[in-house]
Amino acid sequence: DKMGGDQQALLEAMEQQTVSIAKAGIVCNLQARASVIVAANPRDGSFVGTKTIEENLKGVMSNALLSRFDLVFLLQDQADQDVGLSDHVLGMRAGGGGGDWMATVKTPLEARCRDVQSPLPAQLLRTYLQYARAYVHPVLTRQAKERLKSFFLELRSGNHELSGRPPVTTRQLEALIRLSQARARLELDEEVTEEHVEDVIELVKEGVLYDPVGEASLVAIAPGAAPSKGGAAGKVRKFIAALEKRATRTGDREFQLSDLKALASNAGIANSDFDGALGCANESGALL
């Protein structure tokens, strides 16, 4: 978000891995093979749950640039992490280490990473990575290809232009292949196995592209948008439709809290997500 118009310069570098320079009548293409990590603040300073990803990043990052990243994560300031985060920051300042403030998140890949007792020194790690990149060139096995194909189709089937999430294109399939090869290369393995692909899928599921039915966060709902069938957005739309139907039938447009919870439960909204659903409906103008 601090680059402004210079963002366009990244498009060629990330797509073609080259940078074109025209100076004093000399035109040349320079190789630009490097990993790119970008962080950006939402347009309104904080992520607005009733807006889509595109609306939150409007004027900050274009869709063309966003689609070129292999992994995209949404980092939110959540109140339930305040205690652990404060302990981490104070521990770092005290010189005793920050501790594992994300220990409540339990996933197989993260668990394996935390089990590492003696991490490699920086110089040895650098040499290891240089060797892996120079001499290890993994190829996909048949099982890995099938798993990549099935997960990509899952992403495509759950993606919709009005679902509030970035579009899933063939770039994401290429990204899955690159990440799987990198995962195998990290183990100096000449073949990409299904286990390597599963580790990559675990990372992708933490990003903004993945929206499984019944598991998506309610913060991704766009007001007034027609969400895809299923998922959190579809449940809230179903909840609002049930309210409208009951109000039309009874002639009463006022609801008790117990009635709202019953209708939300029938729409498949969990009790823990009830407040978020009400907030989305209120901010979109469906409820007052």
Side-chain angles (χ1 to χ4, degrees), residues 8-31:
Q8 299 301 317
L10 289 176
L11 297 180
E12 179 190 358
M14 298 185 67
E15 180 74 18
Q16 308 296 334
Q17 293 188 332
T18 60
V19 175
S20 300
I21 297 178
K23 294 290 184 181
I26 300 176
V27 180
C28 62
N29 291 329
L30 304 178
Q31 296 294 322

Side-chain angles (χ1 to χ4, degrees), residues 118-131:
S118 55
L120 296 176
Q123 183 60 42
L124 180 57
L125 177 61
R126 186 179 296 110
T127 302
Y128 182 90
L129 295 178
Q130 289 175 346
Y131 177 86

Side-chain angles (χ1 to χ4, degrees), residues 71 73 109 143-144 146-152 154-155 175-176 179-180 183 193-207 210:
L71 293 170
F73 298 101
L109 182 59
Q143 294 84 356
E146 292 297 326
R147 186 66 183 99
L148 286 172
K149 178 181 177 181
S150 63
F151 182 68
F152 175 71
E154 180 183 347
L155 287 178
L176 289 172
L179 292 170
S180 299
R183 180 68 184 91
T193 65
E194 188 174 0
E195 288 73 19
H196 296 142
V197 176
E198 291 295 341
D199 287 344
V200 170
I201 291 176
E202 186 177 334
L203 290 175
V204 175
K205 284 185 175 181
E206 295 295 327
Y210 189 71

Side-chain angles (χ1 to χ4, degrees), residues 71 73-75 81 100-117 183 186 195-196 198-207:
L71 293 170
F73 298 101
L74 176 62
L75 303 179
Q81 296 179 353
D100 190 5
W101 69 283
M102 288 294 289
T104 56
V105 181
K106 296 181 180 179
T107 55
L109 182 59
E110 287 184 333
R112 292 200 301 273
C113 292
R114 288 198 300 267
D115 286 341
V116 176
Q117 301 297 326
R183 180 68 184 91
L186 191 62
E195 288 73 19
H196 296 142
E198 291 295 341
D199 287 344
V200 170
I201 291 176
E202 186 177 334
L203 290 175
V204 175
K205 284 185 175 181
E206 295 295 327

